[in-house]
Amino acid sequence: GAAVGGSFCIAEVGDQAWEDLFTARARSQRERAPEPVLLNIYNLGKRTRLLNQILRPLGSGVFHCGIQVFGMEWAFGGPSPCARQGGTGVFACHPMQCQNHVYSETVELGNTLVPFTDCGSLIAILKLEWRVDDYNAVRNNCIDFVEELCSRLGVVGVPDWVKQLPKTADALVRGGETVCCVNGDASQRIGRICCGCSMQRPALSRKEAEIV
């Protein structure tokens, strides 16, 4: 999931600003039903495009995603300069323009019968339920948020190939493995940041960690 929002963040522009923008975007669509729901998929960050070109044929990848409905895109992320501590992790951006990630493709998820006004109320509820401090890259991320939003909108969920890597990482963590991401310049061997650690297995030595 994204740590920073798209073209703007809710916490940055304030509740009234995003409500005004959402209303303006959807005003011409308010009477239209059903409303298409789209899943916008991004290569996570700026450096995963080549990795995803390898993983995608294998049915996996490292992705950020958001739901586009009524002309706006909604997603969930962790702490960032525009998400205050203890506040919501839900943010909005212009469709396919989440600024910290590289847009890849869009998947149609079907049509929702939820009217515009109820959709706005749903987003407000999700803002309360999905707090920035609860974000976890493995178990409570942007894909989990999108799945929840899809369920409440009554459309199909995220394709398996989008969520395969987080599911695998979660299974490894629950099974006692350690899931790590390289931190910093690999040539300097700064070390690794682990998304989940286990007390069931001894920690790797520094030399072993460099090999993994």
Side-chain angles (χ1 to χ4, degrees), residues 152-173:
R152 299 201 187 191
L153 290 174
V155 297
V156 300
V158 178
D160 286 342
W161 59 268
V162 176
K163 56 188 179 184
Q164 184 58 46
L165 191 60
K167 286 172 60 178
T168 301
D170 187 27
L172 289 173
V173 172

Side-chain angles (χ1 to χ4, degrees), residues 41-116:
I41 302 168
Y42 301 78
N43 295 313
L44 183 67
K46 305 294 186 181
R47 301 180 180 179
T48 61
R49 184 175 62 86
L50 293 178
L51 175 61
N52 282 340
Q53 287 179 351
I54 298 172
L55 294 176
R56 179 68 176 86
L58 302 176
S60 187
V62 186
F63 303 109
H64 166 74
C65 57
I67 287 292
Q68 178 181 336
V69 63
F70 289 109
M72 293 295 294
E73 181 177 316
W74 300 93
F76 174 68
S80 72
C82 59
R84 65 180 181 274
Q85 185 176 6
T88 184
V90 177
F91 63 86
C93 70
H94 299 291
M96 299 172 284
Q97 296 182 35
C98 190
Q99 65 182 10
N100 272 19
H101 306 286
V102 180
Y103 172 75
S104 177
E105 61 185 287
T106 295
V107 175
E108 296 180 359
L109 301 179
N111 298 322
T112 181
L113 297 178
V114 177
F116 164 74

Side-chain angles (χ1 to χ4, degrees), residues 134-147:
D134 295 331
Y135 178 86
N136 182 284
V138 174
R139 297 178 182 170
N140 200 49
N141 53 42
C142 62
I143 296 175
D144 296 308
F145 169 79
V146 164
E147 288 272 62

